[in-house]
């Protein structure tokens, strides 16, 4: 296939779209709320009402407003229906045909949608993730073609470097520099890995991207492989994501059939195959060296770095490892150029970030926002604020991050600002807490998670998190003294500085940040000091 | 042989390039406390006791897995490091069941040595008193998991020197434990050659020879080093 054929296919596929397309979300969140039945009923209603020649229902990926699912949307006029039940399908088709029905209508102009900026999620909720033709219809794989035929590998690396893209897996490492390091390694076997382990509690951005637009990630990986000189890639997904795995399998099969993955891609000399590896759902297996061990069939333990995977990775070969969302940005960067991309966001954080907005907030769901937007805009405008009560803090970065108090809500969302206030960007969890929330309990919750998920290899993390959890528990039972609190704080710093991998190094963050901003809550929980009996005067 | 020069605690040190900071310090007569390190087998970087400060990076580096670099300035015994080391030893003692007075390794235990070295006389952390059990199914040896500090020296010595790979780590976090074979009783693992290397490798009284009693486990760790280097050095007896 060449570019002309690819474009012709895109046009032909687009022409097959019927004028009235009814999008029905078939991602995990909505599926759990019977969206597959909704979809079947919609299809049936279209037939029953004789609209079959101009209307069709399309199972699409996640639209983001998962808290109000199942969602159904008309592609032609953006009309949105929320919390749809299977028996409302007929009514929806009546509306499609110009009639009326009693339905819960969403507002597609609401800031929740209008403040978003879609790069990675541009196709999510708009195409059928089970059909490569749908992806091709919206211009898919043209960036890969462009990279292979119009750019040298070094030019691709330079473009990604110039874009300012930073890793979306948590650390925020400049993606271009990582690619350049792998590209510079001597020729030979190299690998590309996509990290889809996504273990943070409450985070589901990567799952949504994989379920809604698997080809976008495959395309990003293929471009990366071309740039760094790899011919084999792995996608590591946790077993708890069966739908994502299934859609990836379908996507890989379809791409192979079109000659877009496999040998001699687009009849060029470039070969690239992708295999899926399924993780057992350990948080630590998201850490890159542990993930590599896991793919190698070993115990998922991190190892000390350096050497970094870029030099010594999978089976000791140079390995590029990036997050799902990072790969999701590549196609757009190649298509529209680095200048376009670096025009979005702030000086040091370019592009967008997807967050899973949850907690005590009206509008739950996934949002893709430009970097530099403030927390206040996200929480108050897009999220609609706290249902009843007042906002107390926003937690970002999951078990590695921290709690940002309400008075710092004007902090812009970018890597450096979030780190500066004692939290971090993390992979994209954002939990809103109201004034009824006990910050010590929050810290205890995350510490419980970390002690469970520690791989157990290094002592500060294995035994330190256990002791921190025990101390927080004692504190909550009002059995801790001021000395205990001091020891706990020292232990936090020790675990942070002495642990082997990022899990231990960041595990104390939820405690440290709540101590920083909500210290009085800790002090109020201290064991009351024994008081002197009244008559204990020095009357001996 | 190319050489690297660096400074450890202000002292100029010249060493073979590619060596670890730990090895360079040892050559220079500067002892850095270790537990998971064992001469002759690969490094794990797990106990973190050997952490040192390196000028120019805010991170503490484990000396056993950090390669020397030209002009590097290393501090091995700052008050902060000593503080942290002490805390680590406390964590070890609080995490297992270490009753020295009735232990085979009493007086010959590297954990005890570490405790003395960092001046740990009590633990600020609550003892966990785990019930980890022991395995006496082997005809010659036993393992008392209560005394195990999960340094994985037994795992590595059995895999890398004896080539039997009897041991591995099971589970995660606090629930980690050393498994034999396919999580079978040690005595049933046919791969075990009863060579006794894991007994010598174990820094504590966790793995021991049957029939030894309190304070009788005198480890012979030099034996392992000798075995590993025998072929290289063409030395077949010692
Ligand atoms: C405990 C731990 C868990 C992690 N989990 C993930 C994860 O689920 N997904 C991910 O992409 N990166 C995760 N990371 C970060 C990876 O180690 C690695 O930095 C990342 O995949 C690199 O990709 P990026 O540069 O595109 O962000 C984790 C790191 C640590 C320390
Ligand atoms: S292993 Fe060492 S520290 Fe533990 S009880 Fe035995 S002698 Fe004491
Ligand atoms: S006795 Fe030898 S073979 Fe048996 S477990 Fe120990 S080191 Fe391995
Ligand atoms: S049994 Fe001994 S050598 Fe093996 S991990 Fe435990 S303490 Fe280390
Ligand atoms: S899962 Fe349906 S909108 Fe997200
Ligand atoms: S001796 Fe270096 S980490 Fe254990």
């Amino acid at each position: 296939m060449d570019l002309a054929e690819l474009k012709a296919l895109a046009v032909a596929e687009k022409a097959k779209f019927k004028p009235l397309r009814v999008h029905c979300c078939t991602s995990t969140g909505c599926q759990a709320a019977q969206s597959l039945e909704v979809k079947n009923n919609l299809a049936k209603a279209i037939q029953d009402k004789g609209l079959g020649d101009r209307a069709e229902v399309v199972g699409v990926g996640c639209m983001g407003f998962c808290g109000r699912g199942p969602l159904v949307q008309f592609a032609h006029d953006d009309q949105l229906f929320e919390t749809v039940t299977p028996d409302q399908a007929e009514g929806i088709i009546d509306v499609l045909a110009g009639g009326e029905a009693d339905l819960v209508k969403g507002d597609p102009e609401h800031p929740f949608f209008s403040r978003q900026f879609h790069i990675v999620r541009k196709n999510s909720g708009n195409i059928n993730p089970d059909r490569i033709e749908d992806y091709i219809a919206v211009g898919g794989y043209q960036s890969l073609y462009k990279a292979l035929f119009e750019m040298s590998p070094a030019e691709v690396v330079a473009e990604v470097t110039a874009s300012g893209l930073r890793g979306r897996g948590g650390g925020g490492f400049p993606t271009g520099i990582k690619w350049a390091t792998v590209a510079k390694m001597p020729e030979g076997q190299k690998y590309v890995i996509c990290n889809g382990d996504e273990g943070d509690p409450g985070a589901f951005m990567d799952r949504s991207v994989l379920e809604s637009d698997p080809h976008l990630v495959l395309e990003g990986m293929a471009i990366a492989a071309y740039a760094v000189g790899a011919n084999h890639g792995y996608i590591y997904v946790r077993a708890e994501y069966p739908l994502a795995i299934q859609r990836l399998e379908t996507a890989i099969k379809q791409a192979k059939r079109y000659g877009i993955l496999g040998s001699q891609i687009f009849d060029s000399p470039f070969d690239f195959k992708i295999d899926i590896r399924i993780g057992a759902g350990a948080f630590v297996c998201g850490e890159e060296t542990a993930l590599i061990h896991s793919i190698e069939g070993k115990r998922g333990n991190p190892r000390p770095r350096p050497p970094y995977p870029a030099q010594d990775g999978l089976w000791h070969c140079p390995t590029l490892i990036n997050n799902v969302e990072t790969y999701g940005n590549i196609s757009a960067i190649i298509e529209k150029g680095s200048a376009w991309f670096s025009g979005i966001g702030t000086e040091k954080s370019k592009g967008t970030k997807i967050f899973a907005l949850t907690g005590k907030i009206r509008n739950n769901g996934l949002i893709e926002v430009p970097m530099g937007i403030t927390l206040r805009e996200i929480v108050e405008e897009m999220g609609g604020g706290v249902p009843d009560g007042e906002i107390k803090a926003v937690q970002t970065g999951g078990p590695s991050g921290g709690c940002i108090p309400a008075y710092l809500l004007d902090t812009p969302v970018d890597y450096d600002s979030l780190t500066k206030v004692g939290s971090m960007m993390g992979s994209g969890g954002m939990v809103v807490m109201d004034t009824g929330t006990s910050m010590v309990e929050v810290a205890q919750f995350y510490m419980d998670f970390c002690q469970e998920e520690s791989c157990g290899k290094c002592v500060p993390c294995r035994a330190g998190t256990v002791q921190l959890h025990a101390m927080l528990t004692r504190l909550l039972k009002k059995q801790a003294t001021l000395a205990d609190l001091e020891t706990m704080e020292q232990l936090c710093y020790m675990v942070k500085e002495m642990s082997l991998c990022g899990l231990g190094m960041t595990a104390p963050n939820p405690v440290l940040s709540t101590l920083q901003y909500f210290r009085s809550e800790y002090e109020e929980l201290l064991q009351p000091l024994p008081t002197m009996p009244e008559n204990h005067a020095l009357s001996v | 042989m190319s050489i690297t020069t660096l400074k450890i605690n202000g002292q100029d040190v010249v060493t073979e390039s590619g060596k670890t900071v730990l090895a360079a310090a040892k050559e220079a007569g500067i002892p850095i406390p270790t537990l998971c390190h064992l001469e002759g087998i690969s490094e794990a970087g797990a106990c973190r006791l050997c952490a040192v400060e390196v000028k120019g990076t805010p991170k503490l580096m484990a000396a056993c897995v950090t390669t020397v670099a030209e002009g590097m300035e290393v501090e091995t015994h700052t008050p902060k490091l000593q503080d942290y080391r002490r805390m680590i030893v406390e964590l070890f003692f609080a995490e297992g069941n270490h009753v020295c007075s009735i232990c085979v390794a009493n007086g010959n235990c590297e954990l005890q040595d570490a405790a003395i070295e960092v001046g740990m006389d009590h633990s600020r952390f609550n003892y966990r008193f785990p019930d980890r059990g022991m395995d006496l199914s082997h005809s010659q040896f036993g393992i008392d998991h209560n005394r195990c500090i999960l340094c994985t020296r037994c795992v590595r010595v059995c895999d890398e020197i004896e080539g039997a790979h009897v041991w591995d780590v099971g589970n995660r976090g606090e629930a980690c434990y050393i498994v034999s074979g396919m999580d079978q009783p040690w005595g049933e693992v046919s791969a075990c050659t009863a060579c006794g290397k894991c007994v010598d490798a174990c820094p504590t009284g966790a793995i021991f020879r049957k029939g030894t009693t309190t304070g009788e486990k005198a480890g012979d760790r030099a034996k392992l080093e000798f075995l590993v280097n025998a072929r290289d050095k063409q030395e077949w007896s010692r």
Side-chain angles (χ1 to χ4, degrees):
Chain A
M1 191 157 53
D2 61 17
L3 187 61
E5 285 167 335
L6 188 65
K7 283 188 170 161
L9 183 63
V11 174
E13 281 299 326
K14 194 116 204 194
K16 281 192 213 156
F17 287 10
K18 294 192 176 151
L20 301 176
R21 274 166 72 94
V22 180
H23 291 163
C24 176
C25 173
T26 55
S27 268
T28 298
C30 291
Q31 268 201 19
Q34 290 185 301
S35 76
L36 289 184
E37 278 180 48
V38 171
K39 185 180 156 233
N40 288 340
N41 290 3
L42 285 168
K44 198 165 157 291
I46 288 175
Q47 293 311 323
D48 291 350
K49 295 184 195 296
L51 294 169
D53 51 341
R54 11 187 219 117
E56 62 184 337
V57 52
V58 187
V60 295
C62 173
M63 301 183 196
F65 209 6
C66 315
R68 307 275 297 158
L71 296 185
V72 172
Q73 187 164 33
F74 295 161
H76 63 284
D77 65 358
D78 283 349
Q79 270 198 80
L80 180 69
F81 305 93
E82 299 172 355
T83 54
V84 176
T85 55
D87 54 13
Q88 288 174 340
E90 261 199 79
I92 291 179
I93 301 304
D94 284 338
V95 177
L96 185 71
E100 293 276 331
D102 183 22
L103 298 161
V104 186
K105 283 209 185 168
D107 172 15
E109 298 301 316
H110 188 278
F112 184 85
F113 297 105
S114 66
R115 296 296 309 252
Q116 295 200 38
F117 189 95
H118 287 169
I119 298 175
V120 180
R121 290 179 50 78
K122 64 182 175 204
N123 301 325
S124 295
N126 290 319
I127 63 167
N128 180 349
D130 273 327
R131 288 187 78 237
I132 188 172
E133 292 82 4
D134 266 36
Y135 183 66
I136 291 174
V138 293
Y141 287 115
Q142 291 185 18
S143 298
L144 174 61
Y145 194 94
K146 179 175 171 186
L148 292 185
F149 290 94
E150 292 169 29
M151 299 167 86
S152 68
E155 281 169 345
V156 176
V157 173
E159 198 66 28
V160 173
T161 308
S163 75
L165 175 65
R166 292 169 68 172
R168 303 295 194 239
F173 190 81
T175 306
I177 295 180
K178 206 188 261 188
W179 287 28
T181 315
V182 182
K184 267 194 225 124
M185 293 300 287
E187 244 174 83
Q189 183 66 56
K190 294 179 188 178
Y191 293 99
V192 164
I193 297 176
C194 173
N195 187 343
D197 189 58
E198 194 167 53
D200 294 25
F204 57 103
M205 304 76 52
D206 294 348
R207 182 188 78 194
S208 159
V209 172
L210 291 173
E211 284 178 0
S212 309
D213 202 5
H215 288 285
L216 181 78
V217 180
L218 300 185
E219 185 174 6
M221 287 179 72
I223 294 171
Y226 171 72
V228 303
N231 66 2
H232 194 170
Y234 286 94
I235 303 188
Y236 190 91
V237 193
R238 52 176 46 221
E240 285 96 327
Y241 288 179
L243 188 62
I245 294 166
Q246 181 203 318
R247 290 198 170 149
L248 278 170
E249 279 169 350
T250 310
I252 292 171
K253 234 182 275 160
Q254 293 171 341
K256 271 196 211 149
R257 206 179 310 130
Y258 275 99
I260 293 173
L261 280 181
S263 305
Q264 302 181 347
I265 292 173
F266 288 126
D267 300 320
S268 76
F270 173 61
D271 303 336
F272 183 56
K273 65 168 176 178
I274 298 182
D275 287 315
I276 302 175
R277 283 292 173 273
I278 299 171
F283 175 56
V284 74
C285 281
E287 196 282 335
E288 53 192 27
T289 59
L291 186 147
I292 286 171
H293 286 150
S294 176
I295 293 182
E296 289 173 348
K298 298 184 188 139
R299 181 178 158 87
N301 267 3
R303 62 156 174 80
R305 299 172 310 171
Y308 289 90
Q311 303 152 306
D312 179 351
L314 191 57
W315 290 297
H316 296 297
C317 299
T319 302
L320 174 73
I321 174 161
N322 277 130
N323 167 261
V324 169
E325 199 183 326
T326 312
Y327 286 122
N329 280 294
I330 300 301
S331 159
I333 291 174
I334 297 299
E335 182 197 340
K336 299 183 183 163
S338 55
W340 165 79
F341 188 84
S342 60
I344 306 156
T346 68
E347 193 195 334
K348 290 203 176 129
S349 305
K350 304 295 186 193
T352 59
K353 178 77 193 93
I354 308 181
F355 287 99
L357 187 60
T358 54
K360 296 281 169 57
I361 188 147
R362 274 200 188 82
N363 308 323
N364 284 290
L366 284 185
I367 50 169
E368 181 172 2
V369 287
M371 300 271 191
I373 189 171
T374 64
L375 285 169
R376 187 179 305 287
E377 288 169 296
I378 294 183
V379 172
E380 291 181 357
E381 289 180 38
M382 304 180 71
V386 176
D388 25 47
E390 260 177 69
I391 172 170
K392 181 170 182 181
V394 178
Q395 212 279 350
T396 68
S400 321
C403 294
I404 303 164
Y407 73 84
L408 288 177
L409 271 188
D410 290 312
T411 307
V413 173
D414 63 59
Y415 290 98
D416 310 292
S417 305
L418 290 180
T419 307
K420 207 155 80 196
V421 294
S423 184
M424 65 187 275
M425 178 79 81
S427 54
M430 189 178 280
V431 186
V432 179
M433 294 157 187
D434 68 6
T435 37
T437 317
S438 150
M439 299 319 270
V440 185
E441 276 176 27
V442 170
Q444 189 210 29
F445 168 83
Y446 285 111
M447 197 52 70
D448 192 30
F449 179 84
C450 288
Q451 66 154 4
E452 283 258 318
E453 294 294 333
S454 161
C455 80
K457 177 170 173 173
C458 79
V459 189
C461 169
R462 179 184 73 228
T465 53
V466 166
Q467 291 292 349
L468 284 173
H469 180 259
M471 288 168 140
L472 289 166
T473 309
R474 242 182 302 143
L475 197 66
L476 282 164
K477 286 189 191 153
K478 300 207 173 190
Q479 289 168 354
T481 62
L482 190 59
D484 291 332
L485 188 60
E486 277 165 14
T487 310
M488 184 176 85
E489 209 168 346
Q490 285 166 12
L491 183 57
C492 280
Y493 287 110
M494 193 282 278
V495 173
K496 197 175 161 77
E497 291 196 69
M498 296 286 261
S499 289
L500 181 143
C501 89
L503 195 155
M505 288 182 201
T506 56
N509 284 356
V511 183
L512 286 172
S513 79
T514 46
L515 266 173
Q516 181 182 352
Y517 296 116
F518 305 96
R519 194 175 197 96
S520 61
E521 284 189 40
Y522 282 84
E523 285 165 354
E524 277 159 24
L525 285 167
L526 291 178
Q527 193 181 39
L529 286 176
T531 44
M532 277 227 194
E534 295 253 336
N535 56 1
H536 192 80
L538 286 174
S539 60
V540 196
Chain B
M1 178 181 99
S2 66
I3 55 159
T4 301
T5 50
L6 66 158
K7 263 198 170 73
I8 305 182
N9 299 345
Q11 180 182 334
D12 285 314
V13 175
V14 181
T15 187
E16 199 180 324
S17 305
K19 283 210 166 179
T20 63
V21 171
L22 182 66
K26 195 176 163 198
E27 273 174 17
I30 302 165
I32 300 177
T34 61
L35 271 175
C36 67
H37 165 82
L38 184 62
E39 214 59 59
I41 58 172
S42 64
E43 301 292 356
C47 75
R48 315 306 288 172
L49 264 190
C50 69
V52 294
E53 289 181 21
V54 177
K55 201 173 165 190
T57 78
K59 273 193 192 161
L60 303 177
M61 316 285 273
C64 66
V65 290
T66 304
T67 317
V68 291
E70 191 59 39
M72 201 178 210
E73 288 179 40
V74 180
E75 285 292 333
T76 64
H77 282 77
T78 61
K80 176 160 105 178
L81 287 171
Q82 286 301 82
D83 245 25
Y84 284 179
R85 284 183 187 137
R86 185 189 144 145
M87 231 184 263
I88 284 185
V89 177
E90 285 175 58
L91 287 174
F92 271 129
F93 275 92
E95 148 180 88
N97 297 307
H98 297 277
V99 190
C100 301
S101 55
I102 53 153
C103 176
V104 286
N106 195 7
N108 275 310
C109 170
E110 291 182 40
L111 180 60
Q112 262 181 350
D113 296 347
I116 294 164
E117 210 168 326
V118 301
M120 184 217 124
D121 44 19
H122 73 288
S123 166
R124 280 165 290 177
F125 308 119
N126 282 8
Y127 288 95
R128 309 281 303 163
F129 300 118
D131 183 5
R132 292 185 181 160
M134 57 200 264
D135 179 357
L136 295 172
S137 59
H138 197 281
S139 59
Q140 298 183 33
F141 315 117
I143 175 166
D144 181 351
H145 294 283
N146 295 294
R147 297 174 190 150
C148 173
I149 58 167
L150 291 163
C151 66
T152 68
R153 277 163 45 161
C154 55
V155 178
R156 287 172 284 148
V157 89
C158 183
D159 178 43
E160 296 166 19
I161 301 190
E162 183 58 9
H165 200 133
V166 169
W167 303 110
D168 223 316
V169 182
N171 230 321
R172 67 179 181 221
E174 189 183 28
C176 272
Y177 67 107
I178 296 292
V179 294
S180 28
M182 309 300 279
D183 206 359
Q184 306 150 276
W186 188 3
E188 287 173 20
V189 182
S190 53
C192 175
T193 62
C195 69
K197 291 190 177 72
C198 54
V199 183
D200 283 330
C202 182
T204 69
I207 304 186
F208 52 88
R209 210 167 273 280
K210 280 186 173 172
T212 36
T213 180
T214 311
E216 284 185 358
K217 180 187 171 183
D220 185 1
R221 278 164 206 127
K223 181 171 100 190
L224 295 171
E225 202 177 336
F226 162 74
L227 285 173
V228 191
N229 296 323
R231 192 167 295 148
D232 274 359
K233 296 189 178 164
Q234 296 287 311
E235 283 170 7
W236 308 108
S237 59
R238 65 174 177 137

